[in-house]
């Protein structure tokens, strides 16, 4: 469900570069097109949409995501390192021995 929510606005609100959905958090790398809403607004909309889906699926209501998020602008030359960090997260956590075995990761081709 979270993966579906991440892909839903991709190509419209942002270009989805990669993500990794972990048991208690999500890593996401996006590129905002010229004239797009701010990253804060984009995340607010994405969290709202995915919260509604998750709460419907779980038969509950209320907050699903924590209010805060850690985000930053990727500087020139950092993109590959950051994508590698995101994708290697389940390996680092000991969940798999190769990131490609983690079914909740995505890398745009």
């Amino acid at each position: 469900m979270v993966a579906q929510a991440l892909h839903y606005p991709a190509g419209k609100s942002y270009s989805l570069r990669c993500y990794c959905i972990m048991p208690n958090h999500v890593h996401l790398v996006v590129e905002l097109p010229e004239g797009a809403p701010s990253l804060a607004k984009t995340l607010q909309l994405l969290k709202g949409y995915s919260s509604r889906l998750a709460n419907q699926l779980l038969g509950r209501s209320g907050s699903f995501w924590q209010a805060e998020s850690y985000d930053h602008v990727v500087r020139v030359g950092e993109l590959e390192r950051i994508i590698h960090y995101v994708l290697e997260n389940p390996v680092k956590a000991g969940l798999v021995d190769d990131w490609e075995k983690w079914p909740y990761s995505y890398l745009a081709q």
Side-chain angles (χ1 to χ4, degrees), residues 72-93:
H72 68 278
V73 174
V74 176
R75 290 174 176 70
V76 174
E78 287 188 322
L79 184 59
E80 284 187 41
R81 178 187 61 79
I82 291 170
I83 288 173
H84 182 264
Y85 170 82
V86 167
L87 296 175
E88 288 293 321
N89 218 248
V91 175
K92 194 172 172 182

Side-chain angles (χ1 to χ4, degrees), residues 2-68:
V2 174
Q4 175 208 352
L6 294 175
H7 282 279
Y8 177 72
K12 302 173 194 88
S13 301
Y14 55 74
S15 175
L16 185 57
R17 302 301 297 262
C18 73
Y19 63 74
C20 179
I21 302 167
M22 297 292 288
N24 63 348
H25 66 282
V26 175
H27 292 273
L28 174 67
V29 178
V30 299
E31 183 178 344
L32 298 178
E34 188 76 28
S38 68
L39 181 58
K41 182 66 173 173
T42 299
L43 289 176
Q44 178 186 19
L45 294 171
L46 183 58
K47 283 179 156 183
Y49 174 68
S50 58
S51 289
R52 282 188 300 281
L53 292 178
N55 282 336
Q56 284 177 337
L57 184 67
L58 298 170
R60 55 169 284 209
S61 62
S63 296
F64 181 77
W65 299 107
Q66 290 182 334
E68 82 279 345

